[in-house]
Amino acid sequence: MPARMKTIHRVRLLKARGFTLIEVLIALIVMSVGMLGIAGLYVHSLQAGRTSMFRHHAVTLAGDVADRIRANPRAGAVYALAGNDPCIGAGVDFTAAEMAADDICLWKAQADQTLPNGDVAVVFDNGVVPPTYQITVSWTEPDEVMNYSVTIPVFGI
């Protein structure tokens, strides 16, 4: 091989090596951007899973209080008026009002344990037939206050 051809061949090899290094760097940048996107999706899915879990707890709590109200329909507006009274506990012969106060006390304790800043509110509407209760469970997400409401009719009042 003549000397001139060897020089051209070396120059092409040197250029090819440099171009390959640039290709690798560009590939690393593209892959890094892709990995950042995957990490962002992972964080978003964790947040959505957390919100889903809180919504599940809220629906379960609302269903629990709806069942308790249906089991004690004579309490009426006492469910809406029950505040921060201490829970009475088991083994006591309850009146309808005491049972309502104990139900709400237990329910607020459950909301506080399972939801961040969990709270429960009950609104009684005796102006319709049948009377209705609006049950609202609220909690705090990192960027907003969430709530779940359900309205139930209660027969037998």
Side-chain angles (χ1 to χ4, degrees):
M1 193 185 276
R4 188 169 193 293
M5 292 290 281
K6 286 182 182 179
T7 306
I8 292 174
H9 187 63
R10 282 189 192 147
V11 169
R12 284 185 183 161
L13 284 176
L14 291 175
K15 285 183 181 179
R17 286 185 191 149
F19 186 72
T20 303
L21 183 59
I22 291 173
E23 282 180 341
V24 169
L25 289 174
I26 291 172
L28 282 173
I29 290 170
V30 169
M31 193 169 70
S32 298
V33 169
M35 295 300 282
L36 285 173
I38 290 171
L41 286 174
Y42 180 71
V43 168
H44 184 71
S45 71
L46 286 175
Q47 290 171 342
R50 181 174 184 246
T51 299
S52 173
M53 182 182 65
F54 290 150
R55 286 177 191 250
H56 171 76
H57 289 308
V59 169
T60 302
L61 284 171
D64 180 51
V65 86
D67 290 341
R68 289 175 185 262
I69 288 172
R70 285 186 197 110
N72 185 18
R74 301 253 182 253
V78 177
Y79 276 104
L81 299 175
N84 295 325
D85 299 331
C87 298
I88 298 170
V92 177
D93 191 19
F94 291 129
T95 65
E98 290 172 338
M99 183 177 288
D102 191 59
D103 287 346
I104 294 296
C105 174
L106 293 173
W107 193 37
K108 286 186 181 247
Q110 288 175 340
D112 192 42
Q113 290 172 358
T114 58
L115 298 169
N117 297 325
D119 193 25
V120 174
V122 178
V123 176
F124 178 65
D125 185 4
N126 198 19
V128 295
V129 176
T132 61
Y133 289 89
Q134 181 179 6
I135 303 163
T136 304
V137 180
S138 61
W139 68 96
T140 305
E141 288 284 334
D143 53 347
E144 64 182 308
V145 175
M146 305 289 288
N147 62 49
Y148 172 77
S149 292
V150 63
T151 302
I152 61 164
V154 177
F155 301 96
I157 293 178

